């Protein structure tokens, strides 16, 4: 580990601002000093990215796919060093490190397949017709990379949502160079993964400017990147305040650019009364695991449960509280995250509540006490602060007097990544307002499962109306996330030899193309 930046795949350490990462389990700093990128290094990274962007359209899809696969091989070849570094910078378990690495590698290979097939560019051809009156122009459309992309990863996913996470890989796949603003809490993990990407760039002959990894402990590096005129899009995973700040910054530019900010959410879970008794054990097990896994540090953590007051719901809550509090407390990612958690929890607990349950007894250093706070629906609806994400093992339970009050509570919810309904199909008519209201507020509706665990596949949508994300039309997880970093490009009346291969008359790659509005693998016939 060098602590250096990687600027267009070259090591660089021109700055004087140094910082270290922190091991929350050992309660001490990790040894490497990281060197924050300077203004010149940021400018160089962006200039090189712009150069690479103009070369990328000339590189074959096979080479691009090989590059993504090579990144995955290079990451795997780092072996235990990478896993140890992940653990030492997060306090998370080795099992979690392995699982998240698997997810990162799966993402890489899924995007390699996508690039190789090349259908994601949605080729669309409407051949011209000179005999029509008026004359119909020949129009051929496909998606192309948007330009240099800046990626901000989150503290809680050093692999899956960081250096070689979904944003970086989907941007590469779309044909965009990437500059990663490395997360200061896991800069070492970031450096090791960055080195693997650099090796893959060299081995597969990609342009060096396709990738830079810049260290930063202050906000200035991120700001400079977002405001740089050659940067064309931003992928962000993190808090609502961070995402919103970058979104506003990007919109204040003379040339505004899209910021795909995937932010926090409270992921409401509506628990309906009819089938509660028979599912008491099953649902309380599922929820207790979901609330506490990863020390509650997941964007899909179920932070809000809504129930109608009844004997069954009281018993369910007692069971759930016992199960949540019985779980081991573990260190949070960093003392600053612990501090943020405690402060947000204190704020939430200032409202008049029905009950407050916290884990008791000794807990490890830098750990927190998982907490369940119960309030009346009227308190919930009159305190918008209770809708803010408390990032960590905290869940707010809202007790409603009636179905009407449950409907009103759901109606005041802001945009969310997910919404969950626990109930039975038989009562669908009775609860149709709950279903339809949640439908308007979330990107993923879940029935009798929990929101944690975001499968990487084409049918996933990890996004939702603001403030869950800044653009609910796009996903941060799954192969459709490539669309964030692509824009449509139309060629009108272009001679065959000037057209990209995929839009020519002959369908050499034998892929699905839309010709005159119908999907086909045929050639274009004059
Ligand atoms: P964070 O504090 O918002 O930081 C994320 C990154 O953005 C960091 O690199 C941070 O740099 C940078 N940043 C934040 N504010 C900035 C600003 N004003 N200007 C420039 N850069 C800025 O979030 P985090 O604590 O790392 O991650 C936890 C949060 O991520 C939780 O809210 C969680 O729900 C959310 N999350 C969302 C998803 C999703 O897909 N929706 C997935 C995982 C996590 P510094 O660290 O240097 O400030």
């Amino acid at each position: 580990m060098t602590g250096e930046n990687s600027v267009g795949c070259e090591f660089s350490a021109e700055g004087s601002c140094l910082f270290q990462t922190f091991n929350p389990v050992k309660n001490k700093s990790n040894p490497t000093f990281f060197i924050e990128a300077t203004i010149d290094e940021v400018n160089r990274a962006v200039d090189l990215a712009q150069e690479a962007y103009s070369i990328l359209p000339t590189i074959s899809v096979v080479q691009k796919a090989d590059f993504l696969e090579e990144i995955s091989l290079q990451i795997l070849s780092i072996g235990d060093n990478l896993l140890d570094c992940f653990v030492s910078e997060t306090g998370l378990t080795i099992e979690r490190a392995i699982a998240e690495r698997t997810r990162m590698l799966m993402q890489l290979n899924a995007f390699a397949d996508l690039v190789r097939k090349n259908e994601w560019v949605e080729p669309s051809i409407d051949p011209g017709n000179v005999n029509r009156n008026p004359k119909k122009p020949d129009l051929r459309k496909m998606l192309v990379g948007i330009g240099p992309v800046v990626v901000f990863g989150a503290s809680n996913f050093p692999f899956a949502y960081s250096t070689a996470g979904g944003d970086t890989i989907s941007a590469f796949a779309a044909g965009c160079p990437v500059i990663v603003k490395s997360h200061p809490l896991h800069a070492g993990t970031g450096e090791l993964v960055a080195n693997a990407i650099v090796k893959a760039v060299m081995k597969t002959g990609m342009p060096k400017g396709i990738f830079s990894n810049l260290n930063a402990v202050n906000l200035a590096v991120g700001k400079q990147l977002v405001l740089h005129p050659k940067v064309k899009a931003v992928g962000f995973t993190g808090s609502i305040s961070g995402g919103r700040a970058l979104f506003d910054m990007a919109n204040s530019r003379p040339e505004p650019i899209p910021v795909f900010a995937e932010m926090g959410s409270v992921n409401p879970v509506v628990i309906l009364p009819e089938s509660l008794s028979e599912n008491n054990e099953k649902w309380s097990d599922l929820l207790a695991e979901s609330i506490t896994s990863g020390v509650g540090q997941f964007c899909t953590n179920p932070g809000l449960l809504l129930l109608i007051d009844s004997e069954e719901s009281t018993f369910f809550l007692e069971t759930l509280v016992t199960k949540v509090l019985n779980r081991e407390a573990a260190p949070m990612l960093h003392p600053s995250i612990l501090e943020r958690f405690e402060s947000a929890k204190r704020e939430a607990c200032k409202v008049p509540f029905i009950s407050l349950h916290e884990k008791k007894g000794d807990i490890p250093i830098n750990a927190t006490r998982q907490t369940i706070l119960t309030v009346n629906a009227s308190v919930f609806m009159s305190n918008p602060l209770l809708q803010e994400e408390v990032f960590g093992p905290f869940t707010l339970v809202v007790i409603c007097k009636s179905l009407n009050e449950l409907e009103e509570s759901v109606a005041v919810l802001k945009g969310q990544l997910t919404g969950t309904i626990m109930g039975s199909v038989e009562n669908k008519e009775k609860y149709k307002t709950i279903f339809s209201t949640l439908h308007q507020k979330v990107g993923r509706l879940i029935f009798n499962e929990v929101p944690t665990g975001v499968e990487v596949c084409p049918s996933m949508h990890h996004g939702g109306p603001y403030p869950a994300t800044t653009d609910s039309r796009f996903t941060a997880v799954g192969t459709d996330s490539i669309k964030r970093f692509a824009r449509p490009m139309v060629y009108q009346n272009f001679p065959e030899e000037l057209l990209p291969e995929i839009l020519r008359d002959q369908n050499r790659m034998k892929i699905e193309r839309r010709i005159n509005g119908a999907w086909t693998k045929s050639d274009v016939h004059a």
Side-chain angles (χ1 to χ4, degrees), residues 300-433:
T300 48
N301 185 262
L304 177 66
L305 311 186
L306 300 118
L307 300 109
I308 298 177
D309 195 12
S310 68
E311 247 176 61
E312 291 79 15
S313 61
T314 306
F315 181 60
F316 175 76
L317 264 185
E318 283 167 9
T319 319
L320 179 66
V321 166
T322 308
K323 288 180 181 174
V324 167
L325 301 195
N326 277 348
R327 288 177 171 253
E328 292 295 318
M332 294 196 80
L333 294 160
H334 191 269
S336 64
I337 296 211
L338 172 63
E339 205 180 297
R340 238 198 279 169
F341 173 78
E342 297 295 355
S343 152
K345 189 170 98 174
R346 267 196 308 278
E347 278 307 306
C349 294
K350 280 183 184 164
V351 302
F353 53 75
I354 303 171
S355 63
L356 173 62
H357 298 281
E358 274 188 327
K359 174 147 185 88
K360 301 273 180 307
D362 290 342
I363 55 171
I365 188 110
N366 292 316
T368 188
R369 298 175 190 283
Q370 49 264 41
T371 303
I372 295 193
L373 176 72
T374 308
V375 299
N376 283 321
S378 56
V379 170
F380 173 68
M381 287 188 276
S382 55
N383 284 283
L385 172 91
L386 292 177
Q387 282 206 46
E388 310 264 308
E389 177 194 41
V390 179
F391 183 61
F394 172 88
T395 290
L396 178 74
V397 179
V398 175
I399 304 292
C400 306
K401 287 194 297 240
S402 59
L403 173 56
N404 191 30
E405 209 176 43
L406 177 62
E407 288 171 352
E408 286 170 0
S409 301
V410 173
V412 301
L413 289 174
K414 296 182 199 163
Q416 307 286 338
L417 291 168
T418 72
T420 302
I421 293 176
M422 295 191 140
S424 64
V425 184
E426 287 78 57
N427 304 108
K428 65 179 194 301
E429 268 308 300
K430 185 171 173 189
Y431 298 110
K432 64 175 191 247
T433 306

Side-chain angles (χ1 to χ4, degrees), residues 152-157 161 181-185 216-223 226 236-243 245-246 249 261-265 297-300 333 337 340 389 391 417 462 468-469 476-477:
F152 293 78
S155 56
N156 58 338
F157 280 103
Y161 290 89
K181 202 294 281 179
S182 175
H183 200 292
L185 299 194
V217 70
N218 295 298
L219 299 182
V221 170
K223 281 187 187 163
V226 173
F236 170 92
T237 308
S239 61
I240 292 177
S241 58
L246 297 177
M249 215 181 281
E262 309 298 328
M263 303 177 284
S265 190
Q297 300 164 121
F298 285 131
C299 50
T300 48
L333 294 160
I337 296 211
R340 238 198 279 169
E389 177 194 41
F391 183 61
L417 291 168
H462 189 58
T469 70
V477 174

Side-chain angles (χ1 to χ4, degrees), residues 15-55:
S16 53
C17 172
L18 305 181
F19 65 97
Q20 289 166 282
T21 60
F22 190 81
N23 185 326
V25 175
K26 295 188 175 161
N27 199 33
K28 64 174 197 187
S29 296
N30 292 308
T32 306
F33 283 90
F34 294 89
I35 303 137
E36 183 166 85
T38 61
I39 293 175
D40 281 353
E41 285 171 322
V42 172
N43 284 334
R44 222 161 61 233
V46 180
D47 287 344
L48 287 164
Q50 174 58 37
E51 274 174 35
Y53 177 57
S54 36
I55 300 169

